[in-house]
Amino acid sequence: MHIGLIGLGKMGFNMRERLRGKGIEVTGFDRNPDRTDVANIEELVSALPAPRIIWVMVPAGQITDAVVKDLSEALSEGDLVIDGGNSKFTDDQIHATLLAQKGIRFLDCGVSGGVWGLENGYGLMAGGLQDDVERAMPIFDALRPDGDRAESFVHVGDVGAGHYAKMVHNGIEYGLMQSYAEGYELLEAKDIVKDVHGTFAAWQKGTVVRSWLLDLLVKAVQEDPGLSKIAGYVEDSGEGRWTVEEAIANSVPAPAITAALFARFASRQEDSPSMKMVAALRNQFGGHAVKPAEPKPE
């Protein structure tokens, strides 16, 4: 099998290497001349045997929109586009409709595994028609970990379902990370606890909170005790917000995921206006002491 791959960043580059290692020929395109195999999308399309399969691995939103539009003009009837980025599920339906006007097939695929996917394989969640999923199965099997397919791949449902599942996956991830982080801070704050790193390490086997995220936490603390090299500023890439929006739209209570998302927002405030108001109100109604503001450097 010979496929095209657009986007050779942290994820796409490793995916190309894993696919090649599993016997799938890959021609990649990226704007970075040090990583790309071809000069442009037209050259990529020309290099692939028809009917073509092209996997798109670029940032969600306008960049994915532009790539799908370019492919709709460059590909032919019967070709297949797979969006493996973190697109919003509603965008998948727009992209599928655009490509269908030219007879081009479309799948969305949520991908989990991060920078470790090259070595460990990726968890995959596909959305689209069964025939298209079967056609792309050699690719999915090459990307996922060895072993039972059902433990690392699922055909979730129709177009958009794969990215919807990945969105919920990432929302759960927000909550898990926040829980580990709060436990870490509590252990660090208690004077009787002398070995925080060892405590987390001792949870890695046999306990109900063991997980790959816990393993990564232990690794992070081992490499940087006290996390002195890292600022307490946390971005969000969109999926957590979309998960909360969907929870509201479907009247599903999701307090842990929502709180984890808001905690990320709080991490970006040097001096939270809302917390300043809470302190002011406590002072007003109860005479509670307030901490004077730090003078700003000139």
Side-chain angles (χ1 to χ4, degrees):
M1 177 177 272
H2 183 184
I3 72 166
L5 197 158
I6 298 176
L8 300 171
K10 291 179 181 178
M11 289 278 284
F13 182 84
N14 284 346
M15 291 171 72
R16 179 178 64 174
E17 298 310 300
R18 184 172 177 87
L19 287 166
R20 287 175 172 173
K22 295 287 186 174
I24 292 180
E25 187 176 354
V26 182
T27 300
F29 168 66
D30 193 272
R31 291 183 178 180
N32 183 342
D34 296 329
R35 296 199 168 195
T36 195
D37 300 316
V38 293
N40 50 52
I41 287 180
E42 291 73 20
E43 194 173 315
L44 172 65
V45 170
S46 298
L48 300 176
R52 305 168 186 86
I53 298 178
I54 294 184
W55 189 294
V56 178
M57 205 69 194
V58 300
Q62 293 182 348
I63 296 177
T64 297
D65 293 343
V67 169
V68 170
K69 183 176 185 300
D70 289 343
L71 290 174
S72 73
E73 297 169 352
L75 293 176
S76 304
E77 183 175 352
D79 292 344
L80 171 63
V81 174
I82 305 173
D83 179 7
N86 279 330
S87 294
K88 193 172 185 179
F89 71 97
T90 49
D91 289 345
D92 294 324
Q93 293 150 8
I94 296 170
H95 296 156
T97 300
L98 173 64
L99 293 168
Q101 294 172 0
K102 303 288 185 69
I104 303 166
R105 320 294 293 181
F106 178 83
L107 292 174
D108 59 283
C109 185
V111 180
S112 180
V115 296
W116 296 89
L118 173 59
E119 177 182 350
N120 299 335
Y122 302 88
L124 305 168
M125 298 142 267
L129 295 178
Q130 181 64 33
D131 289 347
D132 295 330
V133 171
E134 289 297 329
R135 178 178 166 189
M137 194 59 74
I139 305 169
F140 297 139
D141 281 341
L143 288 172
R144 68 178 181 82
D146 296 333
D148 187 353
R149 181 187 290 164
E151 294 180 351
S152 56
F153 172 83
V154 60
H155 178 196
V156 186
D158 298 332
V159 167
H163 280 147
Y164 195 96
K166 178 59 164 48
M167 174 193 75
V168 175
H169 166 281
N170 282 25
I172 293 170
E173 183 183 289
Y174 275 48
L176 290 172
M177 286 193 289
Q178 187 64 29
S179 292
Y180 283 131
E182 291 172 8
Y184 168 79
E185 183 170 356
L186 185 56
L187 286 169
E188 282 282 2
K190 190 62 176 176
D191 57 355
I192 62 173
V193 176
K194 306 302 181 185
D195 189 354
V196 174
H197 174 265
T199 302
F200 280 104
W203 294 350
Q204 289 179 280
K205 294 183 179 180
T207 77
V208 297
V209 298
R210 64 188 184 274
S211 73
W212 185 45
L213 280 175
L214 177 62
D215 296 341
L216 294 176
L217 185 156
V218 171
K219 182 174 182 291
V221 177
Q222 184 176 22
E223 293 175 349
D224 182 14
L227 304 181
S228 59
K229 301 175 183 177
I230 302 174
Y233 182 104
V234 186
E235 278 288 5
D236 68 288
S237 56
E239 296 93 333
R241 298 183 189 217
W242 302 339
T243 304
V244 173
E245 289 171 2
E246 281 297 300
I248 294 169
N250 291 279
S251 301
V252 173
I257 295 173
T258 303
L261 175 65
F262 287 172
R264 294 194 180 196
F265 295 163
S267 78
R268 303 169 201 171
Q269 297 178 309
E270 286 188 19
D271 197 5
S272 167
S274 61
M275 291 299 99
K276 291 174 73 171
M277 179 53 70
V278 170
L281 288 172
R282 291 181 76 247
N283 177 258
Q284 289 291 328
F285 72 72
H288 300 289
V290 296
K291 181 180 179 181
E294 297 272 342
K296 293 184 178 181
E298 297 181 1

mmCIF file with all atom_site columns, all heavy atoms in Angstrom, residues 15 54 75 96 100 113 129 188 204 206 210 236 238 242 258 265-267 278:
data_model
loop_
_atom_site.group_PDB
_atom_site.id
_atom_site.type_symbol
_atom_site.label_atom_id
_atom_site.label_alt_id
_atom_site.label_comp_id
_atom_site.label_asym_id
_atom_site.label_entity_id
_atom_site.label_seq_id
_atom_site.pdbx_PDB_ins_code
_atom_site.Cartn_x
_atom_site.Cartn_y
_atom_site.Cartn_z
_atom_site.occupancy
_atom_site.B_iso_or_equiv
_atom_site.pdbx_formal_charge
_atom_site.auth_seq_id
_atom_site.auth_comp_id
_atom_site.auth_asym_id
_atom_site.auth_atom_id
_atom_site.pdbx_PDB_model_num
ATOM 1   N N   . MET A 1 15  ? 4.303   9.333  12.722 1.00 0.00 ? 15  MET A N   1
ATOM 2   C CA  . MET A 1 15  ? 3.359   8.430  12.073 1.00 0.00 ? 15  MET A CA  1
ATOM 3   C C   . MET A 1 15  ? 3.920   7.950  10.738 1.00 0.00 ? 15  MET A C   1
ATOM 4   O O   . MET A 1 15  ? 3.772   6.764  10.385 1.00 0.00 ? 15  MET A O   1
ATOM 5   C CB  . MET A 1 15  ? 2.011   9.126  11.897 1.00 0.00 ? 15  MET A CB  1
ATOM 6   C CG  . MET A 1 15  ? 1.287   9.372  13.212 1.00 0.00 ? 15  MET A CG  1
ATOM 7   S SD  . MET A 1 15  ? -0.172  10.410 13.061 1.00 0.00 ? 15  MET A SD  1
ATOM 8   C CE  . MET A 1 15  ? -1.287  9.283  12.244 1.00 0.00 ? 15  MET A CE  1
ATOM 9   N N   . ILE A 1 54  ? -5.081  9.770  1.206  1.00 0.00 ? 54  ILE A N   1
ATOM 10  C CA  . ILE A 1 54  ? -4.241  10.805 1.802  1.00 0.00 ? 54  ILE A CA  1
ATOM 11  C C   . ILE A 1 54  ? -4.688  11.061 3.232  1.00 0.00 ? 54  ILE A C   1
ATOM 12  O O   . ILE A 1 54  ? -5.854  11.343 3.493  1.00 0.00 ? 54  ILE A O   1
ATOM 13  C CB  . ILE A 1 54  ? -4.293  12.116 0.985  1.00 0.00 ? 54  ILE A CB  1
ATOM 14  C CG1 . ILE A 1 54  ? -3.668  11.898 -0.394 1.00 0.00 ? 54  ILE A CG1 1
ATOM 15  C CG2 . ILE A 1 54  ? -3.564  13.238 1.735  1.00 0.00 ? 54  ILE A CG2 1
ATOM 16  C CD1 . ILE A 1 54  ? -3.585  13.161 -1.244 1.00 0.00 ? 54  ILE A CD1 1
ATOM 17  N N   . LEU A 1 75  ? -7.711  16.075 -6.096 1.00 0.00 ? 75  LEU A N   1
ATOM 18  C CA  . LEU A 1 75  ? -7.979  14.644 -6.126 1.00 0.00 ? 75  LEU A CA  1
ATOM 19  C C   . LEU A 1 75  ? -9.067  14.282 -7.130 1.00 0.00 ? 75  LEU A C   1
ATOM 20  O O   . LEU A 1 75  ? -9.722  15.156 -7.705 1.00 0.00 ? 75  LEU A O   1
ATOM 21  C CB  . LEU A 1 75  ? -8.367  14.160 -4.726 1.00 0.00 ? 75  LEU A CB  1
ATOM 22  C CG  . LEU A 1 75  ? -7.268  14.210 -3.665 1.00 0.00 ? 75  LEU A CG  1
ATOM 23  C CD1 . LEU A 1 75  ? -7.810  13.792 -2.300 1.00 0.00 ? 75  LEU A CD1 1
ATOM 24  C CD2 . LEU A 1 75  ? -6.084  13.332 -4.056 1.00 0.00 ? 75  LEU A CD2 1
ATOM 25  N N   . ALA A 1 96  ? -16.653 16.540 4.607  1.00 0.00 ? 96  ALA A N   1
ATOM 26  C CA  . ALA A 1 96  ? -17.171 15.384 3.879  1.00 0.00 ? 96  ALA A CA  1
ATOM 27  C C   . ALA A 1 96  ? -18.099 15.817 2.753  1.00 0.00 ? 96  ALA A C   1
ATOM 28  O O   . ALA A 1 96  ? -18.062 15.262 1.643  1.00 0.00 ? 96  ALA A O   1
ATOM 29  C CB  . ALA A 1 96  ? -17.894 14.444 4.840  1.00 0.00 ? 96  ALA A CB  1
ATOM 30  N N   . ALA A 1 100 ? -17.464 15.176 -1.174 1.00 0.00 ? 100 ALA A N   1
ATOM 31  C CA  . ALA A 1 100 ? -18.450 14.318 -1.840 1.00 0.00 ? 100 ALA A CA  1
ATOM 32  C C   . ALA A 1 100 ? -18.941 14.914 -3.148 1.00 0.00 ? 100 ALA A C   1
ATOM 33  O O   . ALA A 1 100 ? -19.349 14.181 -4.070 1.00 0.00 ? 100 ALA A O   1
ATOM 34  C CB  . ALA A 1 100 ? -19.631 14.063 -0.904 1.00 0.00 ? 100 ALA A CB  1
ATOM 35  N N   . GLY A 1 113 ? -1.882  9.256  21.430 1.00 0.00 ? 113 GLY A N   1
ATOM 36  C CA  . GLY A 1 113 ? -0.595  8.587  21.595 1.00 0.00 ? 113 GLY A CA  1
ATOM 37  C C   . GLY A 1 113 ? 0.562   9.553  21.695 1.00 0.00 ? 113 GLY A C   1
ATOM 38  O O   . GLY A 1 113 ? 1.625   9.203  22.199 1.00 0.00 ? 113 GLY A O   1
ATOM 39  N N   . LEU A 1 129 ? -18.056 5.758  6.616  1.00 0.00 ? 129 LEU A N   1
ATOM 40  C CA  . LEU A 1 129 ? -18.709 4.570  6.097  1.00 0.00 ? 129 LEU A CA  1
ATOM 41  C C   . LEU A 1 129 ? -17.846 3.326  6.297  1.00 0.00 ? 129 LEU A C   1
ATOM 42  O O   . LEU A 1 129 ? -16.619 3.385  6.221  1.00 0.00 ? 129 LEU A O   1
ATOM 43  C CB  . LEU A 1 129 ? -19.013 4.750  4.605  1.00 0.00 ? 129 LEU A CB  1
ATOM 44  C CG  . LEU A 1 129 ? -20.016 5.855  4.250  1.00 0.00 ? 129 LEU A CG  1
ATOM 45  C CD1 . LEU A 1 129 ? -20.183 5.947  2.738  1.00 0.00 ? 129 LEU A CD1 1
ATOM 46  C CD2 . LEU A 1 129 ? -21.369 5.588  4.918  1.00 0.00 ? 129 LEU A CD2 1
ATOM 47  N N   . GLU A 1 188 ? 3.024   17.729 48.299 1.00 0.00 ? 188 GLU A N   1
ATOM 48  C CA  . GLU A 1 188 ? 4.137   18.669 48.438 1.00 0.00 ? 188 GLU A CA  1
ATOM 49  C C   . GLU A 1 188 ? 3.921   19.630 49.605 1.00 0.00 ? 188 GLU A C   1
ATOM 50  O O   . GLU A 1 188 ? 4.875   20.087 50.229 1.00 0.00 ? 188 GLU A O   1
ATOM 51  C CB  . GLU A 1 188 ? 4.313   19.475 47.138 1.00 0.00 ? 188 GLU A CB  1
ATOM 52  C CG  . GLU A 1 188 ? 5.008   18.724 46.013 1.00 0.00 ? 188 GLU A CG  1
ATOM 53  C CD  . GLU A 1 188 ? 6.518   18.668 46.217 1.00 0.00 ? 188 GLU A CD  1
ATOM 54  O OE1 . GLU A 1 188 ? 7.016   19.172 47.239 1.00 0.00 ? 188 GLU A OE1 1
ATOM 55  O OE2 . GLU A 1 188 ? 7.217   18.104 45.345 1.00 0.00 ? 188 GLU A OE2 1
ATOM 56  N N   . GLN A 1 204 ? 2.342   2.986  40.900 1.00 0.00 ? 204 GLN A N   1
ATOM 57  C CA  . GLN A 1 204 ? 2.358   2.603  39.492 1.00 0.00 ? 204 GLN A CA  1
ATOM 58  C C   . GLN A 1 204 ? 1.880   1.176  39.237 1.00 0.00 ? 204 GLN A C   1
ATOM 59  O O   . GLN A 1 204 ? 1.443   0.872  38.128 1.00 0.00 ? 204 GLN A O   1
ATOM 60  C CB  . GLN A 1 204 ? 3.764   2.781  38.915 1.00 0.00 ? 204 GLN A CB  1
ATOM 61  C CG  . GLN A 1 204 ? 4.160   4.245  38.749 1.00 0.00 ? 204 GLN A CG  1
ATOM 62  C CD  . GLN A 1 204 ? 5.560   4.400  38.211 1.00 0.00 ? 204 GLN A CD  1
ATOM 63  O OE1 . GLN A 1 204 ? 6.537   4.286  38.947 1.00 0.00 ? 204 GLN A OE1 1
ATOM 64  N NE2 . GLN A 1 204 ? 5.665   4.642  36.924 1.00 0.00 ? 204 GLN A NE2 1
ATOM 65  N N   . GLY A 1 206 ? -0.421  -2.101 40.953 1.00 0.00 ? 206 GLY A N   1
ATOM 66  C CA  . GLY A 1 206 ? -1.250  -2.665 42.006 1.00 0.00 ? 206 GLY A CA  1
ATOM 67  C C   . GLY A 1 206 ? -2.322  -1.746 42.545 1.00 0.00 ? 206 GLY A C   1
ATOM 68  O O   . GLY A 1 206 ? -3.260  -2.219 43.179 1.00 0.00 ? 206 GLY A O   1
ATOM 69  N N   . ARG A 1 210 ? -3.341  3.563  39.033 1.00 0.00 ? 210 ARG A N   1
ATOM 70  C CA  . ARG A 1 210 ? -2.232  3.373  38.096 1.00 0.00 ? 210 ARG A CA  1
ATOM 71  C C   . ARG A 1 210 ? -2.700  3.682  36.669 1.00 0.00 ? 210 ARG A C   1
ATOM 72  O O   . ARG A 1 210 ? -3.844  3.410  36.297 1.00 0.00 ? 210 ARG A O   1
ATOM 73  C CB  . ARG A 1 210 ? -1.696  1.944  38.176 1.00 0.00 ? 210 ARG A CB  1
ATOM 74  C CG  . ARG A 1 210 ? -2.657  0.856  37.755 1.00 0.00 ? 210 ARG A CG  1
ATOM 75  C CD  . ARG A 1 210 ? -2.065  -0.517 38.085 1.00 0.00 ? 210 ARG A CD  1
ATOM 76  N NE  . ARG A 1 210 ? -2.889  -1.627 37.621 1.00 0.00 ? 210 ARG A NE  1
ATOM 77  C CZ  . ARG A 1 210 ? -3.894  -2.155 38.300 1.00 0.00 ? 210 ARG A CZ  1
ATOM 78  N NH1 . ARG A 1 210 ? -4.225  -1.639 39.490 1.00 0.00 ? 210 ARG A NH1 1
ATOM 79  N NH2 . ARG A 1 210 ? -4.588  -3.173 37.828 1.00 0.00 ? 210 ARG A NH2 1
ATOM 80  N N   . ASP A 1 236 ? -4.955  25.164 26.532 1.00 0.00 ? 236 ASP A N   1
ATOM 81  C CA  . ASP A 1 236 ? -5.900  24.119 26.137 1.00 0.00 ? 236 ASP A CA  1
ATOM 82  C C   . ASP A 1 236 ? -6.039  24.186 24.623 1.00 0.00 ? 236 ASP A C   1
ATOM 83  O O   . ASP A 1 236 ? -6.052  25.266 24.039 1.00 0.00 ? 236 ASP A O   1
ATOM 84  C CB  . ASP A 1 236 ? -7.264  24.300 26.810 1.00 0.00 ? 236 ASP A CB  1
ATOM 85  C CG  . ASP A 1 236 ? -7.999  25.526 26.332 1.00 0.00 ? 236 ASP A CG  1
ATOM 86  O OD1 . ASP A 1 236 ? -7.578  26.646 26.705 1.00 0.00 ? 236 ASP A OD1 1
ATOM 87  O OD2 . ASP A 1 236 ? -8.988  25.387 25.595 1.00 0.00 ? 236 ASP A OD2 1
ATOM 88  N N   . GLY A 1 238 ? -8.537  23.005 22.729 1.00 0.00 ? 238 GLY A N   1
ATOM 89  C CA  . GLY A 1 238 ? -9.879  23.109 22.173 1.00 0.00 ? 238 GLY A CA  1
ATOM 90  C C   . GLY A 1 238 ? -10.820 21.991 22.574 1.00 0.00 ? 238 GLY A C   1
ATOM 91  O O   . GLY A 1 238 ? -12.005 22.230 22.813 1.00 0.00 ? 238 GLY A O   1
ATOM 92  N N   . TRP A 1 242 ? -14.814 22.043 23.836 1.00 0.00 ? 242 TRP A N   1
ATOM 93  C CA  . TRP A 1 242 ? -15.882 21.422 23.053 1.00 0.00 ? 242 TRP A CA  1
ATOM 94  C C   . TRP A 1 242 ? -16.619 20.365 23.866 1.00 0.00 ? 242 TRP A C   1
ATOM 95  O O   . TRP A 1 242 ? -17.843 20.226 23.745 1.00 0.00 ? 242 TRP A O   1
ATOM 96  C CB  . TRP A 1 242 ? -15.307 20.784 21.786 1.00 0.00 ? 242 TRP A CB  1
ATOM 97  C CG  . TRP A 1 242 ? -14.571 21.740 20.897 1.00 0.00 ? 242 TRP A CG  1
ATOM 98  C CD1 . TRP A 1 242 ? -14.690 23.100 20.872 1.00 0.00 ? 242 TRP A CD1 1
ATOM 99  C CD2 . TRP A 1 242 ? -13.575 21.410 19.918 1.00 0.00 ? 242 TRP A CD2 1
ATOM 100 N NE1 . TRP A 1 242 ? -13.827 23.636 19.942 1.00 0.00 ? 242 TRP A NE1 1
ATOM 101 C CE2 . TRP A 1 242 ? -13.136 22.631 19.334 1.00 0.00 ? 242 TRP A CE2 1
ATOM 102 C CE3 . TRP A 1 242 ? -13.012 20.216 19.476 1.00 0.00 ? 242 TRP A CE3 1
ATOM 103 C CZ2 . TRP A 1 242 ? -12.166 22.665 18.332 1.00 0.00 ? 242 TRP A CZ2 1
ATOM 104 C CZ3 . TRP A 1 242 ? -12.052 20.242 18.472 1.00 0.00 ? 242 TRP A CZ3 1
ATOM 105 C CH2 . TRP A 1 242 ? -11.637 21.461 17.904 1.00 0.00 ? 242 TRP A CH2 1
ATOM 106 N N   . THR A 1 258 ? -15.331 20.075 33.563 1.00 0.00 ? 258 THR A N   1
ATOM 107 C CA  . THR A 1 258 ? -15.524 21.525 33.528 1.00 0.00 ? 258 THR A CA  1
ATOM 108 C C   . THR A 1 258 ? -14.579 22.222 34.493 1.00 0.00 ? 258 THR A C   1
ATOM 109 O O   . THR A 1 258 ? -13.945 23.227 34.144 1.00 0.00 ? 258 THR A O   1
ATOM 110 C CB  . THR A 1 258 ? -16.981 21.875 33.877 1.00 0.00 ? 258 THR A CB  1
ATOM 111 O OG1 . THR A 1 258 ? -17.853 21.192 32.972 1.00 0.00 ? 258 THR A OG1 1
ATOM 112 C CG2 . THR A 1 258 ? -17.213 23.378 33.772 1.00 0.00 ? 258 THR A CG2 1
ATOM 113 N N   . PHE A 1 265 ? -7.730  27.852 32.831 1.00 0.00 ? 265 PHE A N   1
ATOM 114 C CA  . PHE A 1 265 ? -7.902  29.297 32.647 1.00 0.00 ? 265 PHE A CA  1
ATOM 115 C C   . PHE A 1 265 ? -7.256  30.053 33.812 1.00 0.00 ? 265 PHE A C   1
ATOM 116 O O   . PHE A 1 265 ? -6.581  31.068 33.617 1.00 0.00 ? 265 PHE A O   1
ATOM 117 C CB  . PHE A 1 265 ? -9.389  29.659 32.573 1.00 0.00 ? 265 PHE A CB  1
ATOM 118 C CG  . PHE A 1 265 ? -10.127 29.098 31.388 1.00 0.00 ? 265 PHE A CG  1
ATOM 119 C CD1 . PHE A 1 265 ? -11.501 29.043 31.380 1.00 0.00 ? 265 PHE A CD1 1
ATOM 120 C CD2 . PHE A 1 265 ? -9.447  28.606 30.285 1.00 0.00 ? 265 PHE A CD2 1
ATOM 121 C CE1 . PHE A 1 265 ? -12.203 28.537 30.286 1.00 0.00 ? 265 PHE A CE1 1
ATOM 122 C CE2 . PHE A 1 265 ? -10.120 28.090 29.193 1.00 0.00 ? 265 PHE A CE2 1
ATOM 123 C CZ  . PHE A 1 265 ? -11.512 28.054 29.207 1.00 0.00 ? 265 PHE A CZ  1
ATOM 124 N N   . ALA A 1 266 ? -7.473  29.550 35.040 1.00 0.00 ? 266 ALA A N   1
ATOM 125 C CA  . ALA A 1 266 ? -6.928  30.215 36.221 1.00 0.00 ? 266 ALA A CA  1
ATOM 126 C C   . ALA A 1 266 ? -5.405  30.236 36.199 1.00 0.00 ? 266 ALA A C   1
ATOM 127 O O   . ALA A 1 266 ? -4.778  31.177 36.696 1.00 0.00 ? 266 ALA A O   1
ATOM 128 C CB  . ALA A 1 266 ? -7.422  29.521 37.490 1.00 0.00 ? 266 ALA A CB  1
ATOM 129 N N   . SER A 1 267 ? -4.794  29.203 35.587 1.00 0.00 ? 267 SER A N   1
ATOM 130 C CA  . SER A 1 267 ? -3.336  29.127 35.557 1.00 0.00 ? 267 SER A CA  1
ATOM 131 C C   . SER A 1 267 ? -2.708  30.257 34.757 1.00 0.00 ? 267 SER A C   1
ATOM 132 O O   . SER A 1 267 ? -1.517  30.523 34.891 1.00 0.00 ? 267 SER A O   1
ATOM 133 C CB  . SER A 1 267 ? -2.892  27.783 34.962 1.00 0.00 ? 267 SER A CB  1
ATOM 134 O OG  . SER A 1 267 ? -2.996  27.780 33.542 1.00 0.00 ? 267 SER A OG  1
ATOM 135 N N   . VAL A 1 278 ? -13.018 38.189 45.731 1.00 0.00 ? 278 VAL A N   1
ATOM 136 C CA  . VAL A 1 278 ? -13.377 37.307 46.847 1.00 0.00 ? 278 VAL A CA  1
ATOM 137 C C   . VAL A 1 278 ? -12.692 37.789 48.127 1.00 0.00 ? 278 VAL A C   1
ATOM 138 O O   . VAL A 1 278 ? -13.313 37.873 49.201 1.00 0.00 ? 278 VAL A O   1
ATOM 139 C CB  . VAL A 1 278 ? -12.984 35.844 46.539 1.00 0.00 ? 278 VAL A CB  1
ATOM 140 C CG1 . VAL A 1 278 ? -13.120 34.978 47.797 1.00 0.00 ? 278 VAL A CG1 1
ATOM 141 C CG2 . VAL A 1 278 ? -13.856 35.287 45.425 1.00 0.00 ? 278 VAL A CG2 1
#
